[in-house]
Amino acid sequence: MAAEYKTVSCSQITLSQLMLPSHSNFSGKIHGGYLLSLMDQIAFACGSKFSGKYCVTASVDRVDFLNPIEVGELVTLNASVNYVGTSSMVVGIRVEAQNIQTGKIKHCNSSYFTMIAKDSQTGQPVAVPRLLLQSKEEVMRYLKAAERITLRKQRPASAEPFAGCLEQAICHIQQHYDAKVTLTA
């Protein structure tokens, strides 16, 4: 059976929402947790739209909050599938906020969510369509995602720094960081 190919545009989703006082934190800016929730929602919608399957979040690559979002701004999230594995999809998300009175738009953050397509009956991972890349931008996004995946696989998450040697770790901290080590146990 020949593999099914879909374009990046088949996955694209845009979500816009007006930021309300109920979305703010104690400093009056939009709460980062609320924004992460919106990002997770759009990643789910994007992955499900592309795969035609129920999707779950497997991981989130780095989220940097570049600019604060104010109450009253219109937040727009744009998402698309940038890379596909066997059952996984890397969904790129860009978040912008617009002052609806002045029209000024600011980039607030970008992130990459890895979504896994699941069979609705068994809950097991299922294959997703292959990606048909149609522009230089899509090719570059695909390669950047592949590079991030390769780097993640090269460094085991459970590896102890300096193979667990406390003396080497302390020496490294003292030489390269502004921290003091006083062990109590």
Side-chain angles (χ1 to χ4, degrees):
M1 181 172 155
E4 176 187 8
Y5 284 82
K6 286 188 173 181
T7 62
V8 171
S9 64
C10 289
S11 72
Q12 291 173 332
I13 299 270
T14 298
L15 171 70
S16 293
Q17 186 165 344
L18 184 65
M19 294 296 103
L20 304 174
S22 61
H23 303 140
S24 67
N25 59 24
F26 295 112
S27 67
K29 308 298 182 194
I30 299 308
H31 195 287
Y34 180 72
L35 189 57
L36 285 169
S37 174
L38 289 177
M39 293 170 74
D40 193 49
Q41 289 174 40
I42 198 167
F44 165 80
C46 181
S48 294
K49 179 181 178 185
F50 181 79
S51 68
K53 304 291 181 188
Y54 176 77
C55 292
V56 296
T57 306
S59 69
V60 179
D61 279 358
R62 188 178 176 124
V63 178
D64 292 321
F65 295 93
L66 306 173
N67 289 296
I69 300 172
E70 307 289 336
V71 170
E73 289 185 324
L74 182 65
V75 169
T76 300
L77 297 92
N78 291 296
S80 64
V81 170
N82 292 349
Y83 175 91
V84 297
T86 304
S87 61
S88 65
M89 296 155 284
V90 174
V91 175
I93 302 169
R94 181 179 172 94
V95 179
E96 296 178 333
Q98 180 179 30
N99 179 314
I100 56 177
Q101 295 168 336
T102 66
K104 183 179 179 192
I105 296 173
K106 60 186 171 186
H107 177 210
C108 297
N109 73 37
S110 294
S111 187
Y112 304 97
F113 280 54
T114 300
M115 308 301 291
I116 306 294
K118 299 275 190 160
D119 180 273
S120 60
Q121 302 299 314
T122 67
Q124 295 300 307
V126 294
V128 297
R130 307 291 83 210
L131 204 51
L132 175 60
L133 306 172
Q134 297 182 305
S135 71
K136 178 181 178 181
E137 182 179 35
E138 291 172 2
V139 168
M140 294 304 154
R141 286 180 178 170
Y142 185 94
L143 290 175
K144 284 180 188 176
E147 182 179 338
R148 283 191 305 275
I149 291 166
T150 299
L151 290 173
R152 190 178 328 132
K153 288 179 180 178
Q154 287 176 352
R155 58 179 157 79
S158 62
E160 286 275 336
F162 302 99
C165 178
L166 183 59
E167 292 80 19
Q168 286 182 340
I170 291 171
C171 183
H172 183 77
I173 288 171
Q174 291 171 338
Q175 289 177 358
H176 300 285
Y177 300 99
D178 185 16
K180 188 175 188 177
V181 178
T182 54
L183 302 176
T184 57

